[in-house]
Amino acid sequence: MKIHFKDIIKILVLLVGFSGFAQEKSFYIRSIRSIHLENTPSVMQQLKFQPVDVVYNKITQFLNDKITISSSGTFDVSAFANINPGVMGSTIKDSIHVELYLVKNNPEQIENILAKTIFKFSYGNFDVAAGLLIAPTEVQLQKNDEISLWVKILPTSNIDINKNPKYDHVTKPTGMQQIAGMRIEKLL
């Protein structure tokens, strides 16, 4: 069997590509377990991850439900959560407003919100999982900053989410496995 020069070059490029990806300074976590939310408008509720949810980690420490940045720098952060209010029997005037937050350190301080998105459930989609996406955002983070994902039902909602304690609101939509996730990539 004769190996050609072109084949050797292709193999070297492939190996360099894989080694470059393996050294990527990033963190990715995703949950495949559904999460219950309380029907408490205006109250921040954390979407907690477990160690088994970590897919890739080269830049953080994950201990006791806390994602801690290992070194200061510029980062690209993004997140998502699939939320289903689970409401049956609503009217055309009903709505539920939900915000998803990516937060550093303390969720009670507005300046610590790195990024957020809002979704308004309305008549016809109260029992369907909607994907809330926090688009990639460039932020400055310091060593030991803790990053977390939070949900808040807004007081502008005029009906309640499903109150059954056995109902999980953060859940997978049809055809997908991931429930919620977060990605952090170090740029500088």
Side-chain angles (χ1 to χ4, degrees):
M1 181 164 75
K2 188 175 179 182
I3 297 181
H4 296 327
F5 184 69
K6 286 181 183 178
D7 293 333
I8 293 171
I9 297 295
K10 288 178 186 177
I11 292 170
L12 287 174
V13 169
L14 186 64
L15 290 174
V16 168
F18 279 134
S19 68
F21 177 74
Q23 302 303 316
E24 183 178 338
K25 294 181 180 177
S26 65
F27 168 80
Y28 179 62
I29 193 167
R30 54 87 186 105
S31 175
I32 57 173
R33 286 170 315 287
S34 53
I35 303 166
H36 176 77
L37 295 175
E38 296 298 325
N39 186 51
T40 53
S42 300
V43 174
M44 299 277 280
Q45 300 179 59
Q46 185 176 1
L47 302 182
K48 294 185 178 182
F49 295 98
Q50 296 181 3
V52 71
D53 297 333
V54 176
V55 176
Y56 188 81
N57 184 11
K58 293 287 184 182
I59 60 170
T60 71
Q61 292 181 1
F62 184 72
L63 187 62
N64 299 326
D65 296 325
K66 295 181 181 177
I67 301 165
T68 306
I69 299 298
S70 296
S71 65
S72 300
T74 303
F75 295 82
D76 190 51
V77 297
S78 59
F80 73 93
N82 295 305
I83 299 177
N84 182 344
V87 175
M88 299 290 195
S90 60
T91 69
I92 201 159
K93 294 182 181 181
D94 292 334
S95 65
I96 298 173
H97 304 165
V98 177
E99 279 187 321
L100 179 67
Y101 299 91
L102 197 52
V103 175
K104 73 173 180 179
N105 302 327
N106 184 352
E108 302 303 321
Q109 296 175 337
I110 193 79
E111 65 271 8
N112 286 341
I113 295 174
L114 299 173
K116 70 178 180 176
T117 191
I118 187 170
F119 189 83
K120 297 178 181 179
F121 291 92
S122 58
Y123 184 75
N125 72 352
F126 287 126
D127 195 29
V128 176
L132 281 71
L133 174 67
I134 293 178
T137 305
E138 192 172 301
V139 297
Q140 294 294 317
L141 297 173
Q142 303 304 313
K143 182 178 180 177
N144 297 324
D145 277 347
E146 292 178 5
I147 308 301
S148 51
L149 193 58
W150 298 77
V151 171
K152 179 168 54 171
I153 300 165
L154 300 178
T156 52
S157 303
N158 64 1
I159 62 170
D160 296 336
I161 63 173
N162 188 327
K163 294 181 184 179
N164 184 332
K166 294 182 180 179
Y167 186 85
D168 290 334
H169 304 92
V170 184
T171 186
K172 64 182 173 183
T174 303
M176 292 187 70
Q177 291 301 314
Q178 287 82 9
I179 305 298
M182 180 188 319
R183 184 175 178 277
I184 305 170
E185 179 184 1
K186 188 166 186 182
L187 302 174
L188 301 172

Short mmCIF file of all heavy atoms in Angstrom, two decimals, residues 90-146:
data_model
loop_
_atom_site.label_atom_id
_atom_site.label_comp_id
_atom_site.label_asym_id
_atom_site.label_seq_id
_atom_site.Cartn_x
_atom_site.Cartn_y
_atom_site.Cartn_z
N SER A 90 -57.14 28.12 28.74
CA SER A 90 -56.87 29.56 28.80
C SER A 90 -57.77 30.27 27.79
O SER A 90 -58.45 29.64 26.99
CB SER A 90 -55.40 29.83 28.49
OG SER A 90 -55.10 29.35 27.19
N THR A 91 -57.74 31.59 27.85
CA THR A 91 -58.53 32.38 26.90
C THR A 91 -57.58 33.14 25.98
O THR A 91 -56.38 33.21 26.21
CB THR A 91 -59.43 33.40 27.63
OG1 THR A 91 -58.60 34.41 28.22
CG2 THR A 91 -60.28 32.73 28.70
N ILE A 92 -58.14 33.73 24.97
CA ILE A 92 -57.35 34.43 23.96
C ILE A 92 -56.63 35.66 24.53
O ILE A 92 -55.64 36.12 23.98
CB ILE A 92 -58.24 34.81 22.75
CG1 ILE A 92 -57.38 35.05 21.53
CG2 ILE A 92 -59.15 35.97 23.06
CD1 ILE A 92 -58.10 34.94 20.22
N LYS A 93 -57.08 36.18 25.65
CA LYS A 93 -56.46 37.37 26.26
C LYS A 93 -55.35 37.02 27.26
O LYS A 93 -54.69 37.90 27.77
CB LYS A 93 -57.52 38.22 26.96
CG LYS A 93 -58.52 38.82 26.00
CD LYS A 93 -59.52 39.68 26.72
CE LYS A 93 -60.52 40.26 25.73
NZ LYS A 93 -61.50 41.11 26.37
N ASP A 94 -55.16 35.74 27.54
CA ASP A 94 -54.16 35.33 28.54
C ASP A 94 -52.74 35.36 27.97
O ASP A 94 -52.54 35.14 26.78
CB ASP A 94 -54.47 33.91 29.04
CG ASP A 94 -55.75 33.85 29.85
OD1 ASP A 94 -56.12 34.89 30.44
OD2 ASP A 94 -56.37 32.78 29.89
N SER A 95 -51.78 35.61 28.87
CA SER A 95 -50.37 35.57 28.47
C SER A 95 -49.49 35.32 29.69
O SER A 95 -49.86 35.63 30.82
CB SER A 95 -49.96 36.87 27.78
OG SER A 95 -50.03 37.94 28.69
N ILE A 96 -48.34 34.71 29.43
CA ILE A 96 -47.33 34.48 30.45
C ILE A 96 -46.01 35.01 29.89
O ILE A 96 -45.61 34.65 28.79
CB ILE A 96 -47.18 32.98 30.79
CG1 ILE A 96 -48.49 32.43 31.36
CG2 ILE A 96 -46.03 32.76 31.77
CD1 ILE A 96 -48.50 30.93 31.56
N HIS A 97 -45.35 35.87 30.65
CA HIS A 97 -44.09 36.48 30.21
C HIS A 97 -42.96 35.92 31.08
O HIS A 97 -43.02 36.00 32.30
CB HIS A 97 -44.15 37.99 30.35
CG HIS A 97 -45.31 38.60 29.61
ND1 HIS A 97 -45.73 39.87 29.82
CD2 HIS A 97 -46.15 38.09 28.67
CE1 HIS A 97 -46.76 40.14 29.04
NE2 HIS A 97 -47.04 39.06 28.34
N VAL A 98 -41.94 35.38 30.41
CA VAL A 98 -40.83 34.73 31.11
C VAL A 98 -39.52 35.34 30.61
O VAL A 98 -39.34 35.55 29.41
CB VAL A 98 -40.83 33.21 30.83
CG1 VAL A 98 -39.65 32.53 31.49
CG2 VAL A 98 -42.13 32.58 31.30
N GLU A 99 -38.59 35.60 31.54
CA GLU A 99 -37.26 36.07 31.18
C GLU A 99 -36.23 35.02 31.59
O GLU A 99 -36.36 34.40 32.63
CB GLU A 99 -36.93 37.41 31.85
CG GLU A 99 -37.54 38.59 31.12
CD GLU A 99 -37.10 39.93 31.68
OE1 GLU A 99 -36.96 40.06 32.91
OE2 GLU A 99 -36.90 40.85 30.87
N LEU A 100 -35.21 34.88 30.76
CA LEU A 100 -34.09 33.99 31.02
C LEU A 100 -32.86 34.88 31.18
O LEU A 100 -32.62 35.75 30.34
CB LEU A 100 -33.89 33.01 29.87
CG LEU A 100 -32.74 32.03 29.97
CD1 LEU A 100 -32.98 31.03 31.10
CD2 LEU A 100 -32.55 31.29 28.64
N TYR A 101 -32.09 34.68 32.26
CA TYR A 101 -30.94 35.53 32.58
C TYR A 101 -29.68 34.70 32.68
O TYR A 101 -29.68 33.62 33.24
CB TYR A 101 -31.13 36.21 33.95
CG TYR A 101 -32.32 37.11 34.07
CD1 TYR A 101 -33.54 36.61 34.51
CD2 TYR A 101 -32.21 38.46 33.78
CE1 TYR A 101 -34.63 37.44 34.64
CE2 TYR A 101 -33.31 39.30 33.92
CZ TYR A 101 -34.52 38.78 34.35
OH TYR A 101 -35.60 39.61 34.48
N LEU A 102 -28.59 35.27 32.18
CA LEU A 102 -27.25 34.75 32.42
C LEU A 102 -26.60 35.76 33.36
O LEU A 102 -26.50 36.94 33.04
CB LEU A 102 -26.48 34.65 31.10
CG LEU A 102 -25.25 33.79 31.07
CD1 LEU A 102 -25.51 32.39 31.60
CD2 LEU A 102 -24.70 33.71 29.67
N VAL A 103 -26.22 35.29 34.55
CA VAL A 103 -25.85 36.19 35.64
C VAL A 103 -24.46 35.85 36.17
O VAL A 103 -24.07 34.68 36.21
CB VAL A 103 -26.87 36.06 36.79
CG1 VAL A 103 -26.48 36.88 38.00
CG2 VAL A 103 -28.26 36.46 36.31
N LYS A 104 -23.72 36.89 36.59
CA LYS A 104 -22.47 36.64 37.31
C LYS A 104 -22.68 37.03 38.77
O LYS A 104 -23.32 38.05 39.06
CB LYS A 104 -21.29 37.37 36.70
CG LYS A 104 -21.25 38.85 36.93
CD LYS A 104 -19.95 39.45 36.42
CE LYS A 104 -19.97 40.95 36.68
NZ LYS A 104 -18.75 41.60 36.24
N ASN A 105 -22.20 36.23 39.66
CA ASN A 105 -22.17 36.45 41.10
C ASN A 105 -23.52 36.58 41.77
O ASN A 105 -24.00 35.63 42.34
CB ASN A 105 -21.26 37.63 41.46
CG ASN A 105 -19.85 37.42 40.97
OD1 ASN A 105 -19.36 36.31 40.92
ND2 ASN A 105 -19.18 38.48 40.57
N ASN A 106 -24.18 37.71 41.70
CA ASN A 106 -25.39 37.95 42.49
C ASN A 106 -26.56 38.32 41.59
O ASN A 106 -26.56 39.39 41.00
CB ASN A 106 -25.12 39.07 43.50
CG ASN A 106 -26.29 39.33 44.42
OD1 ASN A 106 -27.37 38.80 44.24
ND2 ASN A 106 -26.06 40.16 45.41
N PRO A 107 -27.60 37.49 41.50
CA PRO A 107 -28.73 37.79 40.62
C PRO A 107 -29.59 38.97 41.08
O PRO A 107 -30.40 39.47 40.32
CB PRO A 107 -29.54 36.50 40.61
CG PRO A 107 -29.21 35.85 41.91
CD PRO A 107 -27.78 36.22 42.20
N GLU A 108 -29.41 39.41 42.30
CA GLU A 108 -30.23 40.51 42.82
C GLU A 108 -29.72 41.88 42.37
O GLU A 108 -30.42 42.87 42.53
CB GLU A 108 -30.27 40.45 44.35
CG GLU A 108 -30.83 39.14 44.91
CD GLU A 108 -32.23 38.82 44.40
OE1 GLU A 108 -33.06 39.74 44.28
OE2 GLU A 108 -32.49 37.64 44.10
N GLN A 109 -28.51 41.95 41.83
CA GLN A 109 -27.97 43.23 41.39
C GLN A 109 -28.04 43.32 39.87
O GLN A 109 -27.48 42.49 39.16
CB GLN A 109 -26.52 43.38 41.87
CG GLN A 109 -26.42 43.43 43.38
CD GLN A 109 -24.98 43.47 43.86
OE1 GLN A 109 -24.08 43.06 43.16
NE2 GLN A 109 -24.79 43.97 45.06
N ILE A 110 -28.72 44.34 39.37
CA ILE A 110 -28.96 44.49 37.94
C ILE A 110 -27.67 44.55 37.12
O ILE A 110 -27.62 44.07 36.01
CB ILE A 110 -29.87 45.73 37.67
CG1 ILE A 110 -30.40 45.71 36.24
CG2 ILE A 110 -29.14 47.02 37.94
CD1 ILE A 110 -31.55 44.80 36.03
N GLU A 111 -26.60 45.11 37.68
CA GLU A 111 -25.35 45.22 36.93
C GLU A 111 -24.66 43.86 36.75
O GLU A 111 -23.72 43.75 35.98
CB GLU A 111 -24.38 46.22 37.58
CG GLU A 111 -23.87 45.81 38.94
CD GLU A 111 -24.74 46.27 40.11
OE1 GLU A 111 -25.84 46.78 39.87
OE2 GLU A 111 -24.30 46.12 41.25
N ASN A 112 -25.12 42.85 37.43
CA ASN A 112 -24.53 41.52 37.29
C ASN A 112 -25.23 40.66 36.24
O ASN A 112 -24.86 39.51 36.05
CB ASN A 112 -24.52 40.80 38.64
CG ASN A 112 -23.46 41.37 39.57
OD1 ASN A 112 -22.53 42.02 39.13
ND2 ASN A 112 -23.61 41.13 40.84
N ILE A 113 -26.24 41.20 35.58
CA ILE A 113 -26.91 40.46 34.51
C ILE A 113 -26.06 40.60 33.25
O ILE A 113 -25.91 41.70 32.71
CB ILE A 113 -28.35 40.96 34.30
CG1 ILE A 113 -29.18 40.68 35.55
CG2 ILE A 113 -28.96 40.31 33.07
CD1 ILE A 113 -30.58 41.26 35.52
N LEU A 114 -25.48 39.50 32.81
CA LEU A 114 -24.62 39.52 31.62
C LEU A 114 -25.45 39.61 30.34
O LEU A 114 -25.06 40.28 29.39
CB LEU A 114 -23.75 38.27 31.59
CG LEU A 114 -22.79 38.08 32.77
CD1 LEU A 114 -22.11 36.72 32.69
CD2 LEU A 114 -21.77 39.19 32.80
N ALA A 115 -26.58 38.91 30.31
CA ALA A 115 -27.44 38.90 29.14
C ALA A 115 -28.80 38.35 29.55
O ALA A 115 -28.92 37.64 30.56
CB ALA A 115 -26.83 38.05 28.04
N LYS A 116 -29.82 38.70 28.78
CA LYS A 116 -31.17 38.18 29.07
C LYS A 116 -31.98 38.15 27.80
O LYS A 116 -31.64 38.76 26.79
CB LYS A 116 -31.86 39.02 30.13
CG LYS A 116 -32.28 40.40 29.68
CD LYS A 116 -33.01 41.13 30.79
CE LYS A 116 -33.41 42.53 30.34
NZ LYS A 116 -34.19 43.22 31.34
N THR A 117 -33.07 37.39 27.87
CA THR A 117 -34.03 37.32 26.78
C THR A 117 -35.42 37.15 27.39
O THR A 117 -35.55 36.68 28.53
CB THR A 117 -33.70 36.17 25.80
OG1 THR A 117 -34.51 36.30 24.64
CG2 THR A 117 -33.93 34.82 26.44
N ILE A 118 -36.43 37.54 26.66
CA ILE A 118 -37.81 37.43 27.14
C ILE A 118 -38.62 36.63 26.13
O ILE A 118 -38.35 36.68 24.93
CB ILE A 118 -38.44 38.83 27.38
CG1 ILE A 118 -39.81 38.70 28.05
CG2 ILE A 118 -38.52 39.61 26.09
CD1 ILE A 118 -40.40 40.01 28.53
N PHE A 119 -39.60 35.89 26.63
CA PHE A 119 -40.53 35.19 25.77
C PHE A 119 -41.93 35.39 26.32
O PHE A 119 -42.14 35.30 27.53
CB PHE A 119 -40.22 33.69 25.68
CG PHE A 119 -41.02 32.99 24.63
CD1 PHE A 119 -40.61 33.01 23.30
CD2 PHE A 119 -42.20 32.34 24.95
CE1 PHE A 119 -41.37 32.37 22.31
CE2 PHE A 119 -42.97 31.71 23.97
CZ PHE A 119 -42.54 31.73 22.65
N LYS A 120 -42.88 35.64 25.42
CA LYS A 120 -44.28 35.85 25.82
C LYS A 120 -45.11 34.70 25.28
O LYS A 120 -45.31 34.58 24.08
CB LYS A 120 -44.78 37.19 25.29
CG LYS A 120 -44.02 38.35 25.88
CD LYS A 120 -44.48 39.68 25.32
CE LYS A 120 -43.66 40.79 25.94
NZ LYS A 120 -44.02 42.10 25.44
N PHE A 121 -45.56 33.84 26.20
CA PHE A 121 -46.47 32.77 25.83
C PHE A 121 -47.86 33.38 25.70
O PHE A 121 -48.26 34.21 26.53
CB PHE A 121 -46.50 31.68 26.91
CG PHE A 121 -45.22 30.90 27.02
CD1 PHE A 121 -44.23 31.31 27.90
CD2 PHE A 121 -45.01 29.77 26.26
CE1 PHE A 121 -43.04 30.59 28.02
CE2 PHE A 121 -43.83 29.04 26.36
CZ PHE A 121 -42.85 29.46 27.25
N SER A 122 -48.59 32.96 24.68
CA SER A 122 -49.94 33.48 24.50
C SER A 122 -50.87 32.33 24.12
O SER A 122 -50.43 31.19 23.96
CB SER A 122 -49.96 34.57 23.42
OG SER A 122 -49.46 34.06 22.20
N TYR A 123 -52.13 32.65 23.99
CA TYR A 123 -53.15 31.65 23.68
C TYR A 123 -52.69 30.77 22.51
O TYR A 123 -52.28 31.25 21.49
CB TYR A 123 -54.46 32.36 23.32
CG TYR A 123 -55.61 31.42 23.08
CD1 TYR A 123 -56.23 30.79 24.15
CD2 TYR A 123 -56.06 31.16 21.80
CE1 TYR A 123 -57.29 29.93 23.95
CE2 TYR A 123 -57.12 30.30 21.58
CZ TYR A 123 -57.73 29.69 22.65
OH TYR A 123 -58.78 28.83 22.46
N GLY A 124 -52.73 29.48 22.72
CA GLY A 124 -52.35 28.53 21.68
C GLY A 124 -50.99 27.90 21.90
O GLY A 124 -50.69 26.87 21.31
N ASN A 125 -50.11 28.51 22.73
CA ASN A 125 -48.80 27.90 22.96
C ASN A 125 -48.46 27.75 24.45
O ASN A 125 -47.30 27.70 24.81
CB ASN A 125 -47.69 28.64 22.21
CG ASN A 125 -47.36 30.00 22.80
OD1 ASN A 125 -48.03 30.49 23.69
ND2 ASN A 125 -46.30 30.61 22.30
N PHE A 126 -49.49 27.66 25.30
CA PHE A 126 -49.26 27.50 26.73
C PHE A 126 -48.80 26.10 27.12
O PHE A 126 -48.33 25.88 28.22
CB PHE A 126 -50.52 27.84 27.53
CG PHE A 126 -50.83 29.29 27.59
CD1 PHE A 126 -52.06 29.76 27.20
CD2 PHE A 126 -49.88 30.20 28.03
CE1 PHE A 126 -52.35 31.11 27.26
CE2 PHE A 126 -50.16 31.55 28.09
CZ PHE A 126 -51.40 32.01 27.69
N ASP A 127 -48.98 25.13 26.24
CA ASP A 127 -48.57 23.76 26.55
C ASP A 127 -47.57 23.24 25.51
O ASP A 127 -47.58 22.08 25.15
CB ASP A 127 -49.79 22.84 26.64
CG ASP A 127 -49.44 21.52 27.31
OD1 ASP A 127 -48.53 21.51 28.16
OD2 ASP A 127 -50.07 20.50 26.97
N VAL A 128 -46.71 24.16 25.06
CA VAL A 128 -45.68 23.82 24.09
C VAL A 128 -44.35 24.40 24.59
O VAL A 128 -44.30 25.54 25.03
CB VAL A 128 -46.02 24.43 22.70
CG1 VAL A 128 -44.91 24.16 21.70
CG2 VAL A 128 -47.35 23.91 22.20
N ALA A 129 -43.30 23.61 24.53
CA ALA A 129 -41.99 24.10 24.96
C ALA A 129 -41.45 25.10 23.95
O ALA A 129 -41.41 24.84 22.76
CB ALA A 129 -41.01 22.95 25.13
N ALA A 130 -41.07 26.27 24.47
CA ALA A 130 -40.46 27.31 23.64
C ALA A 130 -38.99 27.43 24.03
O ALA A 130 -38.64 27.41 25.21
CB ALA A 130 -41.17 28.65 23.86
N GLY A 131 -38.14 27.56 23.04
CA GLY A 131 -36.71 27.70 23.30
C GLY A 131 -36.35 29.16 23.52
O GLY A 131 -36.48 29.97 22.61
N LEU A 132 -35.92 29.49 24.73
CA LEU A 132 -35.44 30.83 25.03
C LEU A 132 -33.93 30.82 24.83
O LEU A 132 -33.24 30.00 25.45
CB LEU A 132 -35.78 31.24 26.46
CG LEU A 132 -37.23 31.70 26.70
CD1 LEU A 132 -38.20 30.55 26.62
CD2 LEU A 132 -37.34 32.38 28.03
N LEU A 133 -33.44 31.69 24.00
CA LEU A 133 -32.03 31.70 23.64
C LEU A 133 -31.39 33.03 24.03
O LEU A 133 -31.90 34.09 23.69
CB LEU A 133 -31.87 31.49 22.14
CG LEU A 133 -30.45 31.62 21.58
CD1 LEU A 133 -29.58 30.49 22.10
CD2 LEU A 133 -30.48 31.61 20.07
N ILE A 134 -30.28 32.95 24.75
CA ILE A 134 -29.45 34.12 25.00
C ILE A 134 -28.33 34.06 23.97
O ILE A 134 -27.49 33.16 24.00
CB ILE A 134 -28.90 34.13 26.44
CG1 ILE A 134 -30.06 34.31 27.43
CG2 ILE A 134 -27.85 35.23 26.59
CD1 ILE A 134 -29.65 34.30 28.88
N ALA A 135 -28.37 35.00 23.04
CA ALA A 135 -27.40 35.03 21.95
C ALA A 135 -26.00 35.28 22.49
O ALA A 135 -25.84 35.88 23.56
CB ALA A 135 -27.79 36.12 20.96
N PRO A 136 -24.97 34.82 21.77
CA PRO A 136 -23.60 35.05 22.23
C PRO A 136 -23.34 36.53 22.50
O PRO A 136 -23.67 37.39 21.70
CB PRO A 136 -22.76 34.55 21.04
CG PRO A 136 -23.63 33.52 20.39
CD PRO A 136 -25.03 34.04 20.54
N THR A 137 -22.77 36.78 23.69
CA THR A 137 -22.49 38.13 24.16
C THR A 137 -21.08 38.19 24.69
O THR A 137 -20.67 37.33 25.46
CB THR A 137 -23.48 38.51 25.29
OG1 THR A 137 -24.82 38.33 24.82
CG2 THR A 137 -23.28 39.93 25.76
N GLU A 138 -20.33 39.22 24.30
CA GLU A 138 -18.96 39.39 24.78
C GLU A 138 -18.98 40.15 26.10
O GLU A 138 -19.57 41.22 26.20
CB GLU A 138 -18.15 40.16 23.74
CG GLU A 138 -16.67 40.14 23.98
CD GLU A 138 -15.89 40.75 22.83
OE1 GLU A 138 -16.01 40.25 21.69
OE2 GLU A 138 -15.16 41.73 23.09
N VAL A 139 -18.32 39.57 27.13
CA VAL A 139 -18.30 40.18 28.47
C VAL A 139 -16.91 40.07 29.08
O VAL A 139 -16.11 39.22 28.69
CB VAL A 139 -19.32 39.50 29.41
CG1 VAL A 139 -20.74 39.70 28.92
CG2 VAL A 139 -19.02 38.03 29.58
N GLN A 140 -16.65 40.94 30.05
CA GLN A 140 -15.42 40.88 30.85
C GLN A 140 -15.74 40.14 32.14
O GLN A 140 -16.71 40.48 32.82
CB GLN A 140 -14.93 42.29 31.19
CG GLN A 140 -14.48 43.10 29.99
CD GLN A 140 -13.25 42.51 29.33
OE1 GLN A 140 -12.32 42.09 29.99
NE2 GLN A 140 -13.27 42.46 28.00
N LEU A 141 -14.94 39.14 32.46
CA LEU A 141 -15.13 38.39 33.70
C LEU A 141 -13.81 38.34 34.45
O LEU A 141 -12.74 38.34 33.85
CB LEU A 141 -15.61 36.96 33.40
CG LEU A 141 -16.96 36.84 32.72
CD1 LEU A 141 -17.24 35.40 32.32
CD2 LEU A 141 -18.06 37.37 33.61
N GLN A 142 -13.92 38.30 35.76
CA GLN A 142 -12.75 38.23 36.63
C GLN A 142 -12.61 36.82 37.20
O GLN A 142 -13.60 36.09 37.31
CB GLN A 142 -12.88 39.25 37.78
CG GLN A 142 -13.06 40.68 37.33
CD GLN A 142 -11.95 41.15 36.42
OE1 GLN A 142 -10.77 40.94 36.70
NE2 GLN A 142 -12.31 41.77 35.30
N LYS A 143 -11.40 36.48 37.58
CA LYS A 143 -11.16 35.20 38.23
C LYS A 143 -12.08 35.09 39.44
O LYS A 143 -12.28 36.06 40.17
CB LYS A 143 -9.70 35.10 38.68
CG LYS A 143 -9.35 33.79 39.32
CD LYS A 143 -7.89 33.70 39.69
CE LYS A 143 -7.61 32.36 40.32
NZ LYS A 143 -6.21 32.18 40.65
N ASN A 144 -12.71 33.95 39.64
CA ASN A 144 -13.63 33.62 40.72
C ASN A 144 -15.04 34.19 40.54
O ASN A 144 -15.87 34.04 41.44
CB ASN A 144 -13.07 34.02 42.10
CG ASN A 144 -11.82 33.25 42.42
OD1 ASN A 144 -11.69 32.08 42.07
ND2 ASN A 144 -10.87 33.90 43.07
N ASP A 145 -15.35 34.83 39.40
CA ASP A 145 -16.74 35.18 39.12
C ASP A 145 -17.53 33.88 38.97
O ASP A 145 -17.05 32.92 38.37
CB ASP A 145 -16.86 35.98 37.83
CG ASP A 145 -16.58 37.46 38.00
OD1 ASP A 145 -16.54 37.94 39.16
OD2 ASP A 145 -16.40 38.15 36.98
N GLU A 146 -18.74 33.85 39.52
CA GLU A 146 -19.61 32.69 39.40
C GLU A 146 -20.69 33.01 38.37
O GLU A 146 -21.33 34.06 38.44
CB GLU A 146 -20.24 32.34 40.74
CG GLU A 146 -19.25 31.82 41.74
CD GLU A 146 -19.86 31.52 43.10
OE1 GLU A 146 -21.09 31.64 43.26
OE2 GLU A 146 -19.09 31.18 44.01
#
